Amino acid sequence: MNKLLNLMSAAIIVSALTACASSSPAASSQNPAAQPESGGSLITVGFAQVGAESGWRTANTDSFKSYFTEANGFNLIFSDAQQDQNKQIAAVRDFITQGVDYIDIAPVTTTGWETVLQEAKDAGIPVIISDRKADVAEDLYVTYIGGNFEQEGKDAISWLEGYLAENNRSDEALNFVHLQGTIGADAQIGRTKALDDAVAGAHAGKWTIVAQQTGEFTEAKGQEVMEAILKNNTDVHVVYSENDDMTYGAITALKNAGINHKDVIIISFDGNKKAIQMIIDGDIDCVAECNPLLGPQVGDIIKKLENGETLPKITYSVESVYDIKNAEAHLPDAFGS
Ligand code: GZL
């Protein structure tokens, strides 16, 4: 009788252990070889970040590092690619070698990702794409979460059309200086398309882009490019700058050229606290919001995947447009410094 009881209790123990093992999908179905580095109870996430080029990027990195902590059940392996796609791809390969449980990528540019994402798929490691899209087949990543950049641009153009109407300037011929983000980045592609479409379409013959150049999403490059542009263009009516950091540089360049920047309509993207304050101070006219605080949302995606939930392929951030009418109210909630 004792033997039977012993056998039965042994059987119960074995089945309980098997049940535990199969109840953590990350360890079994997604990546059987993966065992988080420390303790075995943490979910190891490799985050391949673009770089540290802007206030937006700093806030985005901070949101990941403050969310993906051991206290929250994660082991974060962070890589800063310094805006170099080769470094970003190498970081993803390193995550694969380390056998992480999940990979998150903010692709510096949309192209060139097929090979390494196929390697991640072959290794059974789910890939989440955040911030900027990658131009790859849908089976190579689980989901995308980030801004709808063409819509941000359309929202900025709509704001400008409203502003011009309010000031009886709708029929005015306007010269635009267009500071683009990193060429090939999803954010640049979308924001540029919105302006290009408006100039070629509804406002053809009235709106002219007198200069269009990348400032690499940095303040220094934005100032440098704007200074060069102003040497050949002093009759500038609108600056359409694809992020706040280039906008800061552009305003410095206008001042250095002896142009009162408050006489120029300045449109920016992101929504750093500094830029929102500059709306209140009259230095910037409009900021189309782009939310960098994606860490907790990516964490929520991973928890849903751990629970075996299915997710939509795309989730866009909910974003607003700020001007003198609503900047004050938004300032306390604006990200960064
Ligand atoms: C947008 C993000 C862009 C920001 C820039 O989601 O990729 O990159 O607009 C940042 O400030 O450098």
Side-chain angles (χ1 to χ4, degrees), residues 81-255:
Q82 297 164 321
Q83 295 213 78
D84 177 333
Q85 184 175 33
N86 292 326
K87 288 181 181 172
Q88 206 170 25
I89 289 171
V92 173
R93 288 210 164 95
D94 185 44
F95 296 153
I96 294 168
T97 304
Q98 292 188 59
V100 299
D101 298 306
Y102 294 88
I103 292 172
D104 182 283
I105 306 172
V108 59
T109 51
T110 56
T111 55
W113 293 98
E114 296 81 359
T115 303
V116 74
L117 291 189
Q118 185 60 52
E119 291 167 19
K121 181 178 181 182
D122 294 344
I125 302 175
V127 172
I128 297 156
I129 296 178
S130 65
D131 168 19
R132 300 177 186 176
K133 292 198 189 82
D135 188 10
V136 295
E138 288 195 353
D139 67 307
L140 294 181
Y141 65 98
V142 174
T143 189
Y144 164 82
I145 182 165
N148 182 340
F149 305 114
E150 186 176 346
Q151 189 56 52
E152 290 173 6
K154 286 178 177 175
D155 292 346
I157 295 298
S158 297
W159 174 88
L160 178 57
E161 290 167 339
Y163 174 85
L164 293 170
E166 283 172 16
N167 293 277
N168 300 313
R169 297 180 63 182
S170 297
D171 295 329
E172 194 173 319
L174 297 174
N175 293 332
F176 286 66
V177 167
H178 177 194
L179 298 181
Q180 296 174 289
T182 303
I183 299 300
D186 191 24
Q188 175 271 316
I189 293 167
R191 293 167 185 167
T192 290
K193 184 177 187 303
L195 178 60
D196 283 349
D197 288 353
V199 169
H203 302 282
K206 275 210 307 302
W207 291 5
T208 306
I209 298 175
V210 295
Q212 186 175 59
Q213 204 169 336
T214 181
E216 297 292 347
F217 283 132
T218 70
E219 180 173 357
K221 191 71 177 173
Q223 179 178 339
E224 177 192 320
V225 164
M226 190 68 181
E227 282 168 351
I229 288 168
L230 291 174
K231 285 190 170 60
N232 303 313
N233 300 276
T234 51
D235 191 20
V236 174
H237 303 107
V238 184
V239 172
Y240 181 97
S241 170
E242 294 182 0
N243 87 328
D244 293 338
D245 303 75
M246 294 191 296
T247 302
Y248 308 148
I251 289 172
T252 302
L254 286 164
K255 289 177 179 176

Side-chain angles (χ1 to χ4, degrees), residues 6 26 28 32 34 47 57 66 74 86 96 100 102 113 117 126 130 137 161 164 181 200 213 265 279-280 296 298 322:
N6 289 339
S28 58
F47 177 32
R57 190 65 53 200
S66 55
F74 294 97
N86 292 326
I96 294 168
V100 299
Y102 294 88
W113 293 98
L117 291 189
S130 65
E161 290 167 339
L164 293 170
Q213 204 169 336
I265 299 170
I279 293 175
I280 297 164
V298 172
Y322 300 108

